[in-house]
Amino acid sequence: MSWIEWKERRLWIPVVKTIQHKGCNPLAETGRSKLQNQRAVLNQQILRAVRMRAGAENLLRATTNNKVREQVLLELSFVNSDLQILKEELEGLNISVEVYQNTEETFSIPLVPLGLKETKEVDFTLPLKDFILEHYSEDSSEYEDEIADLMDLRQACRTPSRDEAGIEMLMSYFLQLGYVETRFFPPTRHMGVLFTWYDSFTGVPVCQQNLLLEKASILFNIGALYTQIGTRCNRQTQAGLENAVDAFQRAAGVLSYLKETFTHTPSYDMSPAMLNVLVKMMLAQAQECVFEQIGLPGIRNEFFTLVKMTQEVAKVGEVYMLVNTAMNQEPVKENIPYSWSKLAQIKSDHYKALAHYFIATILCDHELQSGDDEDQQEKAFSQLYDYMPEGLKVLTVLKDKVQRKQLGKAHLRKAIVCHEEALRVCGLCKKLRNIDVLQEVLTAAHKRSLLKYAQQETEDDFLSLIQAPDIIPKTEHKIETIAPQFSKVKVKDFFHRLGPLTVFSAKQRWTAPRTIRIQQEAEELGFSLKGGSPVQIYCLDPACSAASMGLKEGDYIVSVGGVDCKWLGVNEVLEKLKSVGEQPIDMEVISCQDTTSSMHSKSATYSVGMQKTYSLICLAMEEDKTDQTKKAPLKLPFLSWGTKNRQKAASTLCLPSAVAGSSQIKKKLSPFTLLNTESSLY
């Protein structure tokens, strides 16, 4: 049955036992759905362009005709230009932050969400039905509903709602994949199911028959959905800001879990370096929301309040400076949206300017009075600096009006310089220049600092120029990642009827069910039972009739009298067997076969030295024949757009090629990083 027939049959409504899960209407004309539809179209265009380039590069390698080579090089230049334009369009979608913000009127700098990774439809029907019949020796037609439930849940996960229900649905599918992997994906062979996911930043498809690509991509989308929830929160209310902080911390937790658990992701957006930057960005946005939360009731023009706000906002500027630095490091710099890097730089300058403005307000508006606590003010103010400018002391500055004014104006000049730098960078980036609210916030802050400076200006300013010292960032609200809480999502195995997962898994092999006719002999069965579900034959009497019919020590009982017993305990099965009267009863048993140890698997790895590493099955080709006497380096096999190929070809991103002769590295991998043998790429 085709997938279209499944959809018509199921009416696009996935059912998880007693819980219904459904995604948003993929045809809905919401801003977010339009962006995702545009992303899907761009992904297809990028795929076509990459295929054209691959064909041209194949021809370039094969031909020796100079005229043909010139024509091919010309075509390659056009294709590469098209790819660059498509990449810029995809970057434009990634910076379309206005679509994801709260619809209420707001005067806040926009936050950056992650777009969802796109995928192609997957048909599990034939592979799973064949495996059920072959491996579990059961009638696969009886499991059509379970397979349909799995496919419907996956389809719904392509368009999750932007709320907790959408998060729960993605998590339930992720957990369900754990059951599916254990039951249907043996470590020694392919299942014939091809998973295709598109890179969120480059649009290049990654195709594998490995279920770990599916699990990692779902985790990325869980993190991305948390970022969209965070940006949608109403930042004009305390509750909205608390929810935003929580969402960004959870997004950082999911992305951090993805980085630590799936260490061999063949996609840029899920590479360790990129995930590290994304985690930093989410934590920075959470820190920004914390500052907004503190200042939401209004910032009182009071000495100790301004001291606290100075260090809080300096902390926001510091974390964004670190984010900007990380975004400009290789290999991330090549693929991170340019506008994201510039926005981080703008926020770093903007919040640094606010810190200098707040401390200038302290110095200009709060002269030490006779009734003030000198010690407390001196202690609080001294915590703002690592050092004081030469010739100045904290207590003297607080008492001396002239010195206060000089230092205050120095901070105002620093604030104005930072504001102007933020406006300059914003003006240089076309996409940020078109975000009206960003321009309004930066301009208003700049004008406020200029007005404050004008109020302090006197004729003798040129005689007293000093440099404002750096401010020590500090926060009372520690921002940390929140690990994904999968245990809170209750999921029941779709294929529960196959039996207990500890026994009935893809790693175990059994004989086909054998029928043993049980006849009571002097009120004895001739054997005992042990174990949990399913129960095993124990202490078998070789002389009993059951043994003569083929019953063996250690056999598992799967049914008695036509009743499934895979989930029954010893007492329940014993009652059924002892109910045998004069009429015999049929019992079905299976025997566990010895399984050979699984080979180490092939995996697609992301390497900092090999920045362009993809699994692109549609573009795979044989590598040029190499000198047999040359010793191949030991490394995991992969398809790469690597340095060697870039030197050979005329395009900026070169043709993927299979590395021949690579030997498998024998090293211990975690259950999450262990990829199925032969299944990673080919």
PDB file of all heavy atoms in Angstrom, residues 175-204:
ATOM      1  N   LEU A 175      11.253   8.997  21.354  1.00  0.00           N
ATOM      2  CA  LEU A 175      11.257   7.816  22.218  1.00  0.00           C
ATOM      3  C   LEU A 175      10.751   6.592  21.470  1.00  0.00           C
ATOM      4  O   LEU A 175      11.245   5.478  21.671  1.00  0.00           O
ATOM      5  CB  LEU A 175      10.388   8.082  23.455  1.00  0.00           C
ATOM      6  CG  LEU A 175      10.907   9.177  24.398  1.00  0.00           C
ATOM      7  CD1 LEU A 175       9.887   9.445  25.503  1.00  0.00           C
ATOM      8  CD2 LEU A 175      12.247   8.782  25.003  1.00  0.00           C
ATOM      9  N   GLN A 176       9.758   6.803  20.596  1.00  0.00           N
ATOM     10  CA  GLN A 176       9.239   5.690  19.808  1.00  0.00           C
ATOM     11  C   GLN A 176      10.318   5.130  18.881  1.00  0.00           C
ATOM     12  O   GLN A 176      10.379   3.915  18.639  1.00  0.00           O
ATOM     13  CB  GLN A 176       8.031   6.154  18.985  1.00  0.00           C
ATOM     14  CG  GLN A 176       7.173   5.042  18.430  1.00  0.00           C
ATOM     15  CD  GLN A 176       6.477   4.227  19.505  1.00  0.00           C
ATOM     16  OE1 GLN A 176       6.637   3.000  19.551  1.00  0.00           O
ATOM     17  NE2 GLN A 176       5.719   4.880  20.366  1.00  0.00           N
ATOM     18  N   LEU A 177      11.196   6.020  18.387  1.00  0.00           N
ATOM     19  CA  LEU A 177      12.288   5.562  17.532  1.00  0.00           C
ATOM     20  C   LEU A 177      13.235   4.643  18.294  1.00  0.00           C
ATOM     21  O   LEU A 177      13.866   3.763  17.695  1.00  0.00           O
ATOM     22  CB  LEU A 177      13.062   6.759  16.980  1.00  0.00           C
ATOM     23  CG  LEU A 177      12.368   7.578  15.892  1.00  0.00           C
ATOM     24  CD1 LEU A 177      13.212   8.794  15.536  1.00  0.00           C
ATOM     25  CD2 LEU A 177      12.097   6.742  14.655  1.00  0.00           C
ATOM     26  N   GLY A 178      13.359   4.836  19.604  1.00  0.00           N
ATOM     27  CA  GLY A 178      14.175   3.934  20.409  1.00  0.00           C
ATOM     28  C   GLY A 178      13.632   2.519  20.373  1.00  0.00           C
ATOM     29  O   GLY A 178      14.393   1.546  20.234  1.00  0.00           O
ATOM     30  N   TYR A 179      12.300   2.388  20.489  1.00  0.00           N
ATOM     31  CA  TYR A 179      11.672   1.068  20.379  1.00  0.00           C
ATOM     32  C   TYR A 179      11.859   0.495  18.976  1.00  0.00           C
ATOM     33  O   TYR A 179      12.194  -0.689  18.806  1.00  0.00           O
ATOM     34  CB  TYR A 179      10.175   1.169  20.683  1.00  0.00           C
ATOM     35  CG  TYR A 179       9.844   1.476  22.123  1.00  0.00           C
ATOM     36  CD1 TYR A 179       9.095   2.598  22.461  1.00  0.00           C
ATOM     37  CD2 TYR A 179      10.259   0.642  23.152  1.00  0.00           C
ATOM     38  CE1 TYR A 179       8.768   2.888  23.782  1.00  0.00           C
ATOM     39  CE2 TYR A 179       9.944   0.917  24.475  1.00  0.00           C
ATOM     40  CZ  TYR A 179       9.199   2.049  24.779  1.00  0.00           C
ATOM     41  OH  TYR A 179       8.886   2.326  26.080  1.00  0.00           O
ATOM     42  N   VAL A 180      11.635   1.331  17.966  1.00  0.00           N
ATOM     43  CA  VAL A 180      11.731   0.869  16.577  1.00  0.00           C
ATOM     44  C   VAL A 180      13.144   0.410  16.264  1.00  0.00           C
ATOM     45  O   VAL A 180      13.351  -0.625  15.615  1.00  0.00           O
ATOM     46  CB  VAL A 180      11.298   2.002  15.618  1.00  0.00           C
ATOM     47  CG1 VAL A 180      11.583   1.618  14.172  1.00  0.00           C
ATOM     48  CG2 VAL A 180       9.818   2.310  15.793  1.00  0.00           C
ATOM     49  N   GLU A 181      14.135   1.160  16.735  1.00  0.00           N
ATOM     50  CA  GLU A 181      15.524   0.792  16.484  1.00  0.00           C
ATOM     51  C   GLU A 181      15.849  -0.560  17.106  1.00  0.00           C
ATOM     52  O   GLU A 181      16.506  -1.406  16.480  1.00  0.00           O
ATOM     53  CB  GLU A 181      16.443   1.864  17.047  1.00  0.00           C
ATOM     54  CG  GLU A 181      17.919   1.592  16.811  1.00  0.00           C
ATOM     55  CD  GLU A 181      18.797   2.677  17.385  1.00  0.00           C
ATOM     56  OE1 GLU A 181      18.370   3.363  18.336  1.00  0.00           O
ATOM     57  OE2 GLU A 181      19.924   2.834  16.887  1.00  0.00           O
ATOM     58  N   THR A 182      15.395  -0.789  18.315  1.00  0.00           N
ATOM     59  CA  THR A 182      15.698  -2.048  18.998  1.00  0.00           C
ATOM     60  C   THR A 182      14.986  -3.223  18.347  1.00  0.00           C
ATOM     61  O   THR A 182      15.545  -4.311  18.234  1.00  0.00           O
ATOM     62  CB  THR A 182      15.294  -1.956  20.478  1.00  0.00           C
ATOM     63  OG1 THR A 182      15.941  -0.831  21.078  1.00  0.00           O
ATOM     64  CG2 THR A 182      15.688  -3.214  21.225  1.00  0.00           C
ATOM     65  N   ARG A 183      13.774  -3.002  17.876  1.00  0.00           N
ATOM     66  CA  ARG A 183      12.981  -4.117  17.323  1.00  0.00           C
ATOM     67  C   ARG A 183      13.299  -4.422  15.867  1.00  0.00           C
ATOM     68  O   ARG A 183      13.243  -5.586  15.454  1.00  0.00           O
ATOM     69  CB  ARG A 183      11.490  -3.798  17.443  1.00  0.00           C
ATOM     70  CG  ARG A 183      10.955  -3.857  18.860  1.00  0.00           C
ATOM     71  CD  ARG A 183       9.448  -4.036  18.846  1.00  0.00           C
ATOM     72  NE  ARG A 183       8.870  -3.978  20.179  1.00  0.00           N
ATOM     73  CZ  ARG A 183       8.804  -5.002  21.013  1.00  0.00           C
ATOM     74  NH1 ARG A 183       9.329  -6.168  20.662  1.00  0.00           N
ATOM     75  NH2 ARG A 183       8.240  -4.863  22.203  1.00  0.00           N
ATOM     76  N   PHE A 184      13.645  -3.409  15.066  1.00  0.00           N
ATOM     77  CA  PHE A 184      13.670  -3.615  13.616  1.00  0.00           C
ATOM     78  C   PHE A 184      14.997  -3.281  12.935  1.00  0.00           C
ATOM     79  O   PHE A 184      15.113  -3.509  11.735  1.00  0.00           O
ATOM     80  CB  PHE A 184      12.572  -2.776  12.952  1.00  0.00           C
ATOM     81  CG  PHE A 184      11.185  -3.140  13.388  1.00  0.00           C
ATOM     82  CD1 PHE A 184      10.464  -2.293  14.205  1.00  0.00           C
ATOM     83  CD2 PHE A 184      10.608  -4.336  13.011  1.00  0.00           C
ATOM     84  CE1 PHE A 184       9.181  -2.619  14.620  1.00  0.00           C
ATOM     85  CE2 PHE A 184       9.331  -4.679  13.419  1.00  0.00           C
ATOM     86  CZ  PHE A 184       8.619  -3.818  14.232  1.00  0.00           C
ATOM     87  N   PHE A 185      15.970  -2.740  13.646  1.00  0.00           N
ATOM     88  CA  PHE A 185      17.206  -2.357  12.975  1.00  0.00           C
ATOM     89  C   PHE A 185      18.376  -3.160  13.538  1.00  0.00           C
ATOM     90  O   PHE A 185      19.024  -2.732  14.497  1.00  0.00           O
ATOM     91  CB  PHE A 185      17.446  -0.855  13.135  1.00  0.00           C
ATOM     92  CG  PHE A 185      16.566  -0.015  12.251  1.00  0.00           C
ATOM     93  CD1 PHE A 185      15.234   0.214  12.600  1.00  0.00           C
ATOM     94  CD2 PHE A 185      17.046   0.522  11.073  1.00  0.00           C
ATOM     95  CE1 PHE A 185      14.408   0.975  11.792  1.00  0.00           C
ATOM     96  CE2 PHE A 185      16.228   1.285  10.256  1.00  0.00           C
ATOM     97  CZ  PHE A 185      14.907   1.521  10.616  1.00  0.00           C
ATOM     98  N   PRO A 186      18.660  -4.330  12.942  1.00  0.00           N
ATOM     99  CA  PRO A 186      19.773  -5.160  13.423  1.00  0.00           C
ATOM    100  C   PRO A 186      21.100  -4.480  13.132  1.00  0.00           C
ATOM    101  O   PRO A 186      21.220  -3.693  12.182  1.00  0.00           O
ATOM    102  CB  PRO A 186      19.620  -6.456  12.619  1.00  0.00           C
ATOM    103  CG  PRO A 186      18.868  -6.063  11.397  1.00  0.00           C
ATOM    104  CD  PRO A 186      17.969  -4.940  11.790  1.00  0.00           C
ATOM    105  N   PRO A 187      22.120  -4.777  13.918  1.00  0.00           N
ATOM    106  CA  PRO A 187      23.420  -4.112  13.739  1.00  0.00           C
ATOM    107  C   PRO A 187      24.230  -4.635  12.571  1.00  0.00           C
ATOM    108  O   PRO A 187      25.294  -4.103  12.287  1.00  0.00           O
ATOM    109  CB  PRO A 187      24.128  -4.396  15.068  1.00  0.00           C
ATOM    110  CG  PRO A 187      23.542  -5.673  15.541  1.00  0.00           C
ATOM    111  CD  PRO A 187      22.107  -5.670  15.088  1.00  0.00           C
ATOM    112  N   THR A 188      23.759  -5.677  11.893  1.00  0.00           N
ATOM    113  CA  THR A 188      24.583  -6.320  10.867  1.00  0.00           C
ATOM    114  C   THR A 188      24.101  -6.092   9.446  1.00  0.00           C
ATOM    115  O   THR A 188      24.747  -6.532   8.509  1.00  0.00           O
ATOM    116  CB  THR A 188      24.626  -7.833  11.120  1.00  0.00           C
ATOM    117  OG1 THR A 188      23.283  -8.338  11.182  1.00  0.00           O
ATOM    118  CG2 THR A 188      25.352  -8.123  12.432  1.00  0.00           C
ATOM    119  N   ARG A 189      22.959  -5.414   9.243  1.00  0.00           N
ATOM    120  CA  ARG A 189      22.480  -5.222   7.876  1.00  0.00           C
ATOM    121  C   ARG A 189      21.529  -4.034   7.801  1.00  0.00           C
ATOM    122  O   ARG A 189      21.048  -3.535   8.808  1.00  0.00           O
ATOM    123  CB  ARG A 189      21.775  -6.485   7.355  1.00  0.00           C
ATOM    124  CG  ARG A 189      20.466  -6.836   8.048  1.00  0.00           C
ATOM    125  CD  ARG A 189      19.899  -8.121   7.461  1.00  0.00           C
ATOM    126  NE  ARG A 189      18.664  -8.549   8.089  1.00  0.00           N
ATOM    127  CZ  ARG A 189      17.449  -8.241   7.648  1.00  0.00           C
ATOM    128  NH1 ARG A 189      17.314  -7.475   6.589  1.00  0.00           N
ATOM    129  NH2 ARG A 189      16.381  -8.694   8.274  1.00  0.00           N
ATOM    130  N   HIS A 190      21.278  -3.605   6.551  1.00  0.00           N
ATOM    131  CA  HIS A 190      20.356  -2.519   6.299  1.00  0.00           C
ATOM    132  C   HIS A 190      18.919  -2.994   6.401  1.00  0.00           C
ATOM    133  O   HIS A 190      18.612  -4.162   6.192  1.00  0.00           O
ATOM    134  CB  HIS A 190      20.552  -1.954   4.892  1.00  0.00           C
ATOM    135  CG  HIS A 190      21.836  -1.214   4.721  1.00  0.00           C
ATOM    136  ND1 HIS A 190      22.234  -0.219   5.566  1.00  0.00           N
ATOM    137  CD2 HIS A 190      22.808  -1.328   3.774  1.00  0.00           C
ATOM    138  CE1 HIS A 190      23.391   0.262   5.155  1.00  0.00           C
ATOM    139  NE2 HIS A 190      23.768  -0.401   4.084  1.00  0.00           N
ATOM    140  N   MET A 191      18.024  -2.033   6.677  1.00  0.00           N
ATOM    141  CA  MET A 191      16.593  -2.326   6.617  1.00  0.00           C
ATOM    142  C   MET A 191      15.966  -1.829   5.322  1.00  0.00           C
ATOM    143  O   MET A 191      14.797  -2.083   5.049  1.00  0.00           O
ATOM    144  CB  MET A 191      15.879  -1.676   7.804  1.00  0.00           C
ATOM    145  CG  MET A 191      15.941  -2.494   9.070  1.00  0.00           C
ATOM    146  SD  MET A 191      15.057  -4.054   8.888  1.00  0.00           S
ATOM    147  CE  MET A 191      13.380  -3.450   8.735  1.00  0.00           C
ATOM    148  N   GLY A 192      16.727  -1.082   4.534  1.00  0.00           N
ATOM    149  CA  GLY A 192      16.193  -0.580   3.276  1.00  0.00           C
ATOM    150  C   GLY A 192      15.343   0.666   3.429  1.00  0.00           C
ATOM    151  O   GLY A 192      14.632   1.044   2.498  1.00  0.00           O
ATOM    152  N   VAL A 193      15.406   1.320   4.594  1.00  0.00           N
ATOM    153  CA  VAL A 193      14.669   2.562   4.820  1.00  0.00           C
ATOM    154  C   VAL A 193      15.650   3.717   4.709  1.00  0.00           C
ATOM    155  O   VAL A 193      16.621   3.782   5.453  1.00  0.00           O
ATOM    156  CB  VAL A 193      13.994   2.576   6.207  1.00  0.00           C
ATOM    157  CG1 VAL A 193      13.199   3.862   6.400  1.00  0.00           C
ATOM    158  CG2 VAL A 193      13.082   1.366   6.371  1.00  0.00           C
ATOM    159  N   LEU A 194      15.408   4.625   3.769  1.00  0.00           N
ATOM    160  CA  LEU A 194      16.310   5.744   3.530  1.00  0.00           C
ATOM    161  C   LEU A 194      15.737   7.010   4.167  1.00  0.00           C
ATOM    162  O   LEU A 194      14.626   7.426   3.854  1.00  0.00           O
ATOM    163  CB  LEU A 194      16.508   5.961   2.033  1.00  0.00           C
ATOM    164  CG  LEU A 194      17.508   7.057   1.647  1.00  0.00           C
ATOM    165  CD1 LEU A 194      18.908   6.678   2.100  1.00  0.00           C
ATOM    166  CD2 LEU A 194      17.482   7.294   0.142  1.00  0.00           C
ATOM    167  N   PHE A 195      16.510   7.603   5.067  1.00  0.00           N
ATOM    168  CA  PHE A 195      16.102   8.849   5.725  1.00  0.00           C
ATOM    169  C   PHE A 195      16.851  10.011   5.085  1.00  0.00           C
ATOM    170  O   PHE A 195      18.080   9.966   4.953  1.00  0.00           O
ATOM    171  CB  PHE A 195      16.427   8.787   7.224  1.00  0.00           C
ATOM    172  CG  PHE A 195      15.761   7.652   7.946  1.00  0.00           C
ATOM    173  CD1 PHE A 195      16.466   6.486   8.221  1.00  0.00           C
ATOM    174  CD2 PHE A 195      14.435   7.738   8.326  1.00  0.00           C
ATOM    175  CE1 PHE A 195      15.857   5.430   8.880  1.00  0.00           C
ATOM    176  CE2 PHE A 195      13.818   6.690   8.986  1.00  0.00           C
ATOM    177  CZ  PHE A 195      14.527   5.534   9.263  1.00  0.00           C
ATOM    178  N   THR A 196      16.118  11.023   4.685  1.00  0.00           N
ATOM    179  CA  THR A 196      16.698  12.214   4.060  1.00  0.00           C
ATOM    180  C   THR A 196      16.323  13.440   4.872  1.00  0.00           C
ATOM    181  O   THR A 196      15.136  13.716   5.079  1.00  0.00           O
ATOM    182  CB  THR A 196      16.198  12.386   2.615  1.00  0.00           C
ATOM    183  OG1 THR A 196      16.525  11.229   1.855  1.00  0.00           O
ATOM    184  CG2 THR A 196      16.843  13.607   1.970  1.00  0.00           C
ATOM    185  N   TRP A 197      17.323  14.171   5.317  1.00  0.00           N
ATOM    186  CA  TRP A 197      17.120  15.416   6.051  1.00  0.00           C
ATOM    187  C   TRP A 197      17.968  16.506   5.423  1.00  0.00           C
ATOM    188  O   TRP A 197      19.099  16.256   5.004  1.00  0.00           O
ATOM    189  CB  TRP A 197      17.495  15.254   7.534  1.00  0.00           C
ATOM    190  CG  TRP A 197      16.499  14.442   8.310  1.00  0.00           C
ATOM    191  CD1 TRP A 197      16.475  13.082   8.428  1.00  0.00           C
ATOM    192  CD2 TRP A 197      15.387  14.934   9.044  1.00  0.00           C
ATOM    193  NE1 TRP A 197      15.417  12.692   9.206  1.00  0.00           N
ATOM    194  CE2 TRP A 197      14.724  13.819   9.606  1.00  0.00           C
ATOM    195  CE3 TRP A 197      14.884  16.201   9.312  1.00  0.00           C
ATOM    196  CZ2 TRP A 197      13.593  13.935  10.398  1.00  0.00           C
ATOM    197  CZ3 TRP A 197      13.754  16.335  10.099  1.00  0.00           C
ATOM    198  CH2 TRP A 197      13.119  15.210  10.633  1.00  0.00           C
ATOM    199  N   TYR A 198      17.415  17.714   5.381  1.00  0.00           N
ATOM    200  CA  TYR A 198      18.114  18.840   4.767  1.00  0.00           C
ATOM    201  C   TYR A 198      18.799  19.685   5.836  1.00  0.00           C
ATOM    202  O   TYR A 198      18.217  19.966   6.883  1.00  0.00           O
ATOM    203  CB  TYR A 198      17.136  19.711   3.978  1.00  0.00           C
ATOM    204  CG  TYR A 198      16.572  19.021   2.758  1.00  0.00           C
ATOM    205  CD1 TYR A 198      15.420  18.244   2.838  1.00  0.00           C
ATOM    206  CD2 TYR A 198      17.210  19.128   1.527  1.00  0.00           C
ATOM    207  CE1 TYR A 198      14.915  17.599   1.725  1.00  0.00           C
ATOM    208  CE2 TYR A 198      16.706  18.488   0.403  1.00  0.00           C
ATOM    209  CZ  TYR A 198      15.558  17.721   0.505  1.00  0.00           C
ATOM    210  OH  TYR A 198      15.059  17.082  -0.598  1.00  0.00           O
ATOM    211  N   ASP A 199      20.031  20.091   5.534  1.00  0.00           N
ATOM    212  CA  ASP A 199      20.776  20.941   6.456  1.00  0.00           C
ATOM    213  C   ASP A 199      20.048  22.266   6.643  1.00  0.00           C
ATOM    214  O   ASP A 199      19.618  22.899   5.681  1.00  0.00           O
ATOM    215  CB  ASP A 199      22.177  21.186   5.904  1.00  0.00           C
ATOM    216  CG  ASP A 199      23.096  21.830   6.913  1.00  0.00           C
ATOM    217  OD1 ASP A 199      22.902  23.031   7.196  1.00  0.00           O
ATOM    218  OD2 ASP A 199      23.998  21.150   7.424  1.00  0.00           O
ATOM    219  N   SER A 200      19.914  22.694   7.882  1.00  0.00           N
ATOM    220  CA  SER A 200      19.152  23.895   8.189  1.00  0.00           C
ATOM    221  C   SER A 200      19.818  25.162   7.662  1.00  0.00           C
ATOM    222  O   SER A 200      19.140  26.144   7.386  1.00  0.00           O
ATOM    223  CB  SER A 200      18.960  24.014   9.710  1.00  0.00           C
ATOM    224  OG  SER A 200      18.211  25.154  10.037  1.00  0.00           O
ATOM    225  N   PHE A 201      21.156  25.137   7.484  1.00  0.00           N
ATOM    226  CA  PHE A 201      21.872  26.339   7.076  1.00  0.00           C
ATOM    227  C   PHE A 201      22.292  26.329   5.616  1.00  0.00           C
ATOM    228  O   PHE A 201      22.377  27.382   4.990  1.00  0.00           O
ATOM    229  CB  PHE A 201      23.115  26.534   7.950  1.00  0.00           C
ATOM    230  CG  PHE A 201      22.790  26.724   9.401  1.00  0.00           C
ATOM    231  CD1 PHE A 201      23.206  25.809  10.349  1.00  0.00           C
ATOM    232  CD2 PHE A 201      22.046  27.806   9.826  1.00  0.00           C
ATOM    233  CE1 PHE A 201      22.898  25.978  11.687  1.00  0.00           C
ATOM    234  CE2 PHE A 201      21.728  27.984  11.162  1.00  0.00           C
ATOM    235  CZ  PHE A 201      22.154  27.069  12.092  1.00  0.00           C
ATOM    236  N   THR A 202      22.585  25.148   5.064  1.00  0.00           N
ATOM    237  CA  THR A 202      23.044  25.079   3.676  1.00  0.00           C
ATOM    238  C   THR A 202      21.997  24.522   2.731  1.00  0.00           C
ATOM    239  O   THR A 202      22.101  24.714   1.523  1.00  0.00           O
ATOM    240  CB  THR A 202      24.305  24.207   3.570  1.00  0.00           C
ATOM    241  OG1 THR A 202      23.967  22.846   3.892  1.00  0.00           O
ATOM    242  CG2 THR A 202      25.387  24.693   4.517  1.00  0.00           C
ATOM    243  N   GLY A 203      21.009  23.813   3.257  1.00  0.00           N
ATOM    244  CA  GLY A 203      19.982  23.222   2.405  1.00  0.00           C
ATOM    245  C   GLY A 203      20.409  21.951   1.709  1.00  0.00           C
ATOM    246  O   GLY A 203      19.628  21.363   0.953  1.00  0.00           O
ATOM    247  N   VAL A 204      21.635  21.492   1.927  1.00  0.00           N
ATOM    248  CA  VAL A 204      22.133  20.282   1.267  1.00  0.00           C
ATOM    249  C   VAL A 204      21.550  19.050   1.961  1.00  0.00           C
ATOM    250  O   VAL A 204      21.544  18.979   3.187  1.00  0.00           O
ATOM    251  CB  VAL A 204      23.670  20.247   1.297  1.00  0.00           C
ATOM    252  CG1 VAL A 204      24.204  18.943   0.719  1.00  0.00           C
ATOM    253  CG2 VAL A 204      24.230  21.433   0.530  1.00  0.00           C
TER     254      VAL A 204
END
